Amino acid sequence: MNIPNLITVLRVLLIPIFILLFYLPYQWSYMASASVFAFAAATDWLDGYLARRLEQSTPFGAFLDPVADKLMVAVALVLLVQEHGNFWLTLPAAVIIGREIVVSALREWMAELGARAHVAVSNLGKWKTAAQMLALVILLANPKDFSFWVVLGYALLMVSAGLTLWSMVQYLRAAWPHLKTDVEKK
């Protein structure tokens, strides 16, 4: 266990705190849950930076980091869909969670083929993540009432969902030669 891995574990441990704060019946709970989420999102950058800078990358960290990110985002999306209960949040949430399932399965399958590098993380993923995290912080920080901030959060989440679909298409295109079945070999 090194510092970057401990930071990643902290991100996972913050999820129940984030959920608890989200459901507290106080006006300040919006900002509190958004603050914990924003802190956790910042630790995603920090653990990666420290792992590279201190040369402390580990297989455990490489496994847990994306799991922690996906758990954090999926929990936030589920909470927000339940709270807002509308098309503008449900559609991008379904796209984002669905894409994560597809791409995770694709990466696992490609790793079994020894072709994991063909579906590596791209720079587009960084833009998607930035839009997604900003949208989630904005939406968590505000009540579901239609306001400038909520509309901005919805717009950023839609942009994130669009980037999510585009990156999924890129992953599928990169993996397509490995996905095609050769009828003649059967």
Side-chain angles (χ1 to χ4, degrees):
M1 227 5 128
N2 56 34
I3 292 171
N5 287 350
L6 288 172
I7 293 171
T8 303
V9 169
L10 172 66
R11 192 159 65 250
V12 173
L13 294 175
L14 286 173
I15 293 171
I17 295 167
F18 158 65
I19 294 169
L20 176 68
L21 289 171
F22 183 84
Y23 281 115
L24 287 177
Y26 304 108
Q27 188 64 26
W28 55 263
S29 70
Y30 293 108
M31 196 54 74
S33 65
S35 296
V36 170
F37 183 87
F39 176 76
T43 67
D44 179 27
W45 171 83
L46 180 62
D47 65 13
Y49 172 78
L50 289 175
R52 288 184 299 278
R53 177 99 164 124
L54 302 174
E55 297 180 6
Q56 292 184 345
S57 297
T58 65
F60 176 71
F63 160 74
L64 188 60
D65 183 63
V67 170
D69 299 343
K70 287 169 186 29
L71 283 172
M72 192 175 77
V73 168
V75 167
L77 287 169
V78 167
L79 293 174
L80 287 166
V81 164
Q82 182 265 325
E83 176 82 8
H84 289 243
N86 65 43
F87 172 82
W88 304 108
L89 208 134
T90 303
L91 178 64
V95 166
I96 291 166
I97 292 172
R99 179 262 188 202
E100 293 304 333
I101 293 167
V102 169
V103 171
S104 293
L106 180 64
R107 285 182 181 147
E108 183 179 333
W109 185 74
M110 293 294 286
E112 286 181 21
L113 295 178
R116 173 79 162 84
H118 292 281
V119 286
V121 176
S122 69
N123 281 334
L124 181 61
K126 295 180 191 308
W127 287 102
K128 171 202 65 97
T129 299
Q132 183 174 275
M133 294 303 185
L134 184 56
L136 292 174
V137 169
I138 289 169
L139 290 168
L140 289 166
N142 292 280
K144 66 179 178 178
D145 306 326
F146 275 101
S147 67
F148 168 78
W149 292 107
V150 170
V151 171
L152 177 61
Y154 288 168
L156 284 170
L157 201 60
M158 288 286 195
V159 166
S160 174
L163 292 172
T164 293
L165 284 175
W166 180 249
S167 69
M168 183 178 75
V169 167
Q170 286 186 323
Y171 285 124
L172 290 171
R173 286 179 60 196
W176 185 248
H178 302 280
L179 292 171
K180 291 191 307 186
T181 57
D182 189 353
V183 177
E184 293 177 12
K185 288 183 179 180
K186 290 185 178 182

